[in-house]
Amino acid sequence: MALTAKAFLFKQWNGQALEIRRFSLDQDVSTSYAYLLQKIAQVFPSVKADKVALAWIDGDGDRISLSSDAELLEAMDQFDGTVFL
């Protein structure tokens, strides 16, 4: 089974989204930060995986930075059924 994610590409944190993409993550590797970076680079061809900052929106509406497997796992634990990348 796959998880569906929705990702927004911003030039600046507080700017308007340049692109919005929806894509699937293989569930068996969905908690791998390296896999997520690779997937982001695939769906946003203009993005270099080593030049991107990832974040997710928590239940309070706060933008939380994401930079490791542990932080991705925490984000997945907070997942409430909505798409949050």
Side-chain angles (χ1 to χ4, degrees):
M1 181 176 192
L3 301 173
T4 300
K6 186 176 185 181
F8 297 79
L9 177 63
F10 294 94
K11 186 172 185 175
Q12 298 177 8
W13 281 114
N14 59 354
Q16 186 171 350
L18 301 174
E19 293 181 53
I20 303 170
R21 304 284 175 128
R22 188 179 299 263
F23 56 92
S24 295
L25 297 168
D26 297 328
Q27 192 166 9
D28 59 333
V29 291
S30 63
T31 58
S32 168
Y33 180 75
Y35 173 79
L36 180 58
L37 278 179
Q38 203 173 36
K39 195 69 169 178
I40 293 291
Q42 287 175 351
V43 298
F44 294 109
S46 63
V47 170
K48 303 285 187 240
D50 63 341
K51 304 268 187 214
V52 67
L54 299 182
W56 62 283
I57 306 300
D58 71 5
D60 297 328
D62 296 325
R63 187 174 295 154
I64 309 298
S65 296
L66 191 61
S67 62
S68 68
D69 289 350
E71 290 173 344
L72 179 55
L73 186 57
E74 173 66 23
M76 299 298 283
D77 285 344
Q78 299 296 316
F79 183 65
D80 65 0
T82 60
V83 181
F84 63 91
L85 287 178

